Amino acid sequence: MQATSTSDVNGRIVVSVIFDDPLVRAGVAAILGVQSAFALINEQVVSGVGCEASWRRALPEVDVVVADYNSALVICAWLRKEASGRMSRVKVMIISHRVGESEILHALAQGIHGYLPFGCRMEEMAEAVVALHGGQRYLERSIARRVAESFDHEALTSREADVLRLVVAGYANKMVAEDLDIAMGTVKSHIKSILNKLGVRTRTEATAVALRRGLCDMALPALTPADAPHLDASGRAAIPSGSAAG
């Protein structure tokens, strides 16, 4: 598991662990820190994304960032602005309890390279870091399955996602109309479209599907089928960064 980056320390992959929760941060750092293939940047092990000066100063020397959901998106946004030279080679991986379909797809659209849920195997953290450093994406099996399943259905529009979230919350049509400041007829039209796209016949069924697929966590843009990761035989996504999904 030798690395090739010029930022490697004695041939090791340089990893930055950035979690706002200090206990989670310490746990992830401890798991990765015992791996001989990795070199952790110490100042990042004891700081979260709020310590912006710290992680911005360290990123030019980092190969892979392992972070919580919000921290990872903040870092990806900053990397996009600095997408030149060494910074363009930094890979970002999420480890999070946020595994809703919309959340996963949004993260991938923002440039996330790897995604693991809480409760994943400790060995898989190391496997994912190595995969990212090697130019691949890495999605844990359940995450990859949710992404794949999402392309079996037509994506909801942002307004339909707003309506669905209120329906799941128990709002009647009149309440939805008032909350979104739209006409009752428009609400009914949106609900009809939502039912068709979800492949269900009732609001109750729509709620069950929405909760199962994690559609109500965030009203965020979905990817197109061309962006879908290709799954290997194990159900994980491991694709070259130069592919259509890269």
Side-chain angles (χ1 to χ4, degrees):
M1 299 200 302
Q2 293 296 310
T4 59
S5 169
T6 57
S7 69
D8 292 353
V9 178
N10 296 324
R12 294 182 292 171
I13 301 170
V14 181
V15 180
S16 178
V17 178
I18 305 177
F19 284 77
D20 285 331
D21 187 314
L23 292 179
V24 175
R25 182 167 64 243
V28 172
I31 291 169
L32 296 178
V34 298
Q35 302 287 328
S36 61
F38 307 141
L40 269 64
I41 293 184
N42 290 332
E43 67 176 347
Q44 291 306 99
V45 174
V46 294
S47 60
V49 74
C51 303
E52 183 174 348
S54 177
W55 59 258
R56 285 182 58 175
R57 182 170 59 251
L59 278 182
E61 304 303 321
V62 172
D63 295 308
V64 178
V65 175
V66 181
D68 59 60
Y69 190 94
N70 289 334
S71 297
L73 294 190
V74 169
I75 292 166
C76 276
W78 189 80
L79 286 173
R80 286 197 301 274
K81 295 179 181 179
E82 304 292 328
S84 61
R86 177 69 184 85
M87 300 303 294
S88 65
R89 298 194 295 272
V90 179
K91 308 299 182 183
V92 183
M93 181 172 75
I94 287 174
I95 301 179
S96 176
H97 67 280
R98 299 177 68 166
V99 294
E101 180 181 306
S102 297
E103 294 171 312
I104 296 169
L105 295 179
H106 180 64
L108 294 176
Q110 299 307 303
I112 294 299
H113 302 89
Y115 209 121
L116 302 177
F118 281 160
C120 65
R121 294 181 297 108
M122 291 188 290
E123 297 84 359
E124 194 163 24
M125 289 189 195
E127 294 171 9
V129 170
V130 173
L132 265 61
H133 184 249
Q136 296 179 311
R137 291 187 187 272
Y138 192 103
L139 305 183
E140 185 269 346
R141 182 175 301 174
S142 66
I143 300 294
R145 186 180 302 116
R146 176 151 282 180
V147 171
E149 289 176 349
S150 72
F151 296 105
D152 290 334
H153 310 278
E154 184 180 354
L156 300 179
T157 66
S158 60
R159 178 57 85 187
E160 288 169 350
D162 291 339
V163 172
L164 178 60
R165 185 167 53 250
L166 296 178
V167 168
V168 171
Y171 282 45
N173 286 1
K174 182 178 180 180
M175 297 170 65
V176 173
E178 292 174 350
D179 191 89
L180 299 179
D181 194 24
I182 56 179
M184 281 282 288
T186 303
V187 172
K188 293 178 180 178
S189 177
H190 283 318
I191 291 178
K192 180 179 179 180
S193 177
I194 290 168
L195 296 182
N196 287 335
K197 288 182 177 181
L198 297 185
V200 297
R201 301 168 68 178
T202 68
R203 295 164 67 106
T204 300
E205 291 174 336
T207 296
V209 170
L211 293 175
R212 177 175 58 80
R213 289 176 54 191
L215 297 177
C216 298
D217 300 310
M218 304 164 71
L220 299 168
L223 304 182
T224 65
D227 295 318
H230 299 290
L231 308 186
D232 62 20
S234 69
R236 298 189 183 93
I239 49 184
S241 57
S243 71

